[in-house]
Amino acid sequence: MEPRISLITLGVADLERATRFYQECLGLPRLETPPSVTFFELGKTWLALWSRESLAADAGLAAEGSGFRGFALAHNVRSPAEVDALLARVAACGGTVTRPGQPTDWGGYSGYFTDPDGFVWEIAHNPDYPHV
């Protein structure tokens, strides 16, 4: 397998609500898509939103389940102030800040939020991360 992730697909309960959150709150660039799925371009990786039931069926799994899913998506920003500003924006748009921005033991600054479907995102400033 080549070292790349092409697409991250989140199974969401309400596609319209999730699309609004990612497009209007986070400001992700939306691609033209059919009505049953939403794609956002994130550089060379795309983020897809699809109904939870459809994604589970496509993967051959049951759609039931909730709580911590065992992973987090992460977005790095240029400063601790950007971490705090993005977390404040997310909270105003219906996301839930689960840990406010704070200094980390690895020399950066980060906080966490969950989107309206409970997917976990870390917003971080890592002064040593080259891809911001």
Side-chain angles (χ1 to χ4, degrees), residues 88-127:
R89 181 178 172 90
V90 162
C93 295
T96 302
V97 175
T98 60
R99 196 190 86 203
Q102 55 192 264
T104 66
D105 59 359
W106 43 265
Y109 185 87
S110 77
Y112 285 84
F113 75 88
T114 57
D115 74 3
D117 285 282
F119 290 102
V120 178
W121 281 84
E122 178 188 23
I123 305 301
H125 166 65
N126 181 342

Side-chain angles (χ1 to χ4, degrees), residues 1 15 22-24 35 44 49 54 56 61 63-64 67 74 80 99 127:
M1 186 166 120
L15 184 60
Y22 282 90
Q23 183 174 9
E24 296 173 11
K44 293 183 179 182
L49 305 176
S54 296
L61 299 168
E64 298 81 30
R99 196 190 86 203

